[in-house]
Amino acid sequence: MFELRLLAPEERVEDLSDALDALEALSVSVEDADAQTDAEQALFGEPGMPPPKDGWQRSRVIALFPDEGAAREAATLLSAQDFFAGCEVVGVADVPEQDWVRLTQSQFAPVEITPEFWIVPTWHEPPTQARQTIRLDPGLAFGTGTHPTTRMCLRWIATLQPAAPARVLDYGCGSGILAIGAAKFGAVAIDAVDIDPSAVEATRLNADANAVTLNAGLPDAAQGRYDVVLANILATPLKVLAPLLCAHVAPGGSLVLAGILERQADELKNAYAPYAALEVSDAEDGWILMTARL
């Protein structure tokens, strides 16, 4: 396998990527060409960073091809295009063979939720102090337990014992990790829903791997009211979903929301004010967990 490396200004990246796809590149990735230099610029609007930008001033575009000939032909064809003005071919290089499975696995270690509750990839042994575990392999769907929003939701779930809820809804279930966590801590009837069919399938597979029973489906599978409604999405969809999510919470039940930045707390409180009084229940690395009792 060979990689073609290019340099491109911000306004040329999209054209280059489209052209590389048309030239049947196996993959195309884009990196900040000025990363770890004085010229590096933040791209994403995360806590403590500038507002989001559309792209980096200078990008490194890397395309993989099955052989050297295809990579060099792509470089020649791209160089002849009008949109290549301002771009540069850095070179073509052989990509050493690697055990990609082992390399990926090495990036994921057991994740502590509480001292006795851990997320453990299937290729790891659980820590000796773990009394409760979720076995989960990273996949296409969001939710491996490594993100603060997921950890905060799972910490909240771990406080449910001994009064476990009868019915739980995991709205926007991703990998199903929150629904599985609820099952591990005693929930009886669990619906896990997502708009992405691949997330629904991942949830079913992960539930089977953890020997828990739940119902995974598209959003219309959520029926009636629940003792707990969990939604770890993002602030904007959470605001839009306020009436729907609150309508699914049984009287005296709990609403648990995540995917919210600290600076977005007031936005969420205002959006939910007609239905519930949200409060910040946990915080980690600039993210917060908001809950309400209806």
Side-chain angles (χ1 to χ4, degrees), residues 60-187:
R60 184 182 300 108
V61 181
I62 304 168
L64 289 179
F65 289 90
D67 55 64
E68 184 176 7
R72 294 197 179 280
E73 182 181 7
T76 301
L77 290 171
L78 289 172
S79 298
Q81 306 305 312
D82 291 341
F83 63 74
F84 200 74
C87 302
E88 176 186 345
V89 175
V90 177
V92 173
D94 188 10
V95 179
E97 290 294 327
Q98 296 194 54
D99 185 342
W100 294 107
V101 172
R102 187 176 296 276
L103 181 62
T104 299
Q105 290 180 348
S106 70
Q107 298 172 8
F108 293 92
V111 176
E112 180 181 347
I113 304 303
T114 71
E116 296 186 341
F117 178 27
W118 290 70
I119 310 300
V120 185
T122 55
W123 56 83
H124 279 281
E125 288 298 316
T128 55
Q129 67 269 38
R131 297 293 177 265
Q132 187 65 269
T133 62
I134 296 177
R135 300 294 256 174
L136 193 72
D137 292 346
L140 294 177
F142 174 80
T144 60
T146 59
H147 196 275
T149 60
T150 309
R151 290 199 300 270
M152 286 189 291
C153 287
L154 289 170
R155 279 200 297 266
W156 188 91
I157 289 170
T159 67
L160 294 178
Q161 287 186 318
R167 296 194 78 207
V168 172
L169 173 62
D170 179 2
Y171 198 97
C173 57
S175 67
I177 189 169
L178 302 186
I180 293 167
K184 293 277 186 175
F185 282 90

Side-chain angles (χ1 to χ4, degrees), residues 3 11 20 72 104 129-130 137 147 150-151 155 174 196 202 205 211 216 231 245 249-250 258 261 282 287:
E3 66 178 22
E11 65 273 12
L20 287 163
R72 294 197 179 280
T104 299
Q129 67 269 38
D137 292 346
H147 196 275
T150 309
R151 290 199 300 270
R155 279 200 297 266
D196 184 354
L205 293 173
L245 293 176
V249 183
L261 297 169
D282 200 353
W287 298 90

Side-chain angles (χ1 to χ4, degrees), residues 5 71 75 88 95 98 118 128-129 136 152 172 190 214 218 222 229 238 243 263 269 275 287 291:
R5 288 180 167 260
E88 176 186 345
V95 179
Q98 296 194 54
W118 290 70
T128 55
Q129 67 269 38
L136 193 72
M152 286 189 291
I190 304 160
L214 54 80
L218 297 175
V229 172
L238 284 175
R263 58 179 169 79
K269 286 182 179 180
Y275 319 100
W287 298 90
T291 61

Side-chain angles (χ1 to χ4, degrees), residues 156 249 253-257 272 276-279 281 290-294:
W156 188 91
V249 183
S254 295
L255 178 66
V256 182
L257 306 179
Y272 279 78
L278 282 180
E279 297 294 339
S281 297
M290 302 192 77
T291 61
R293 178 80 70 171
L294 273 71

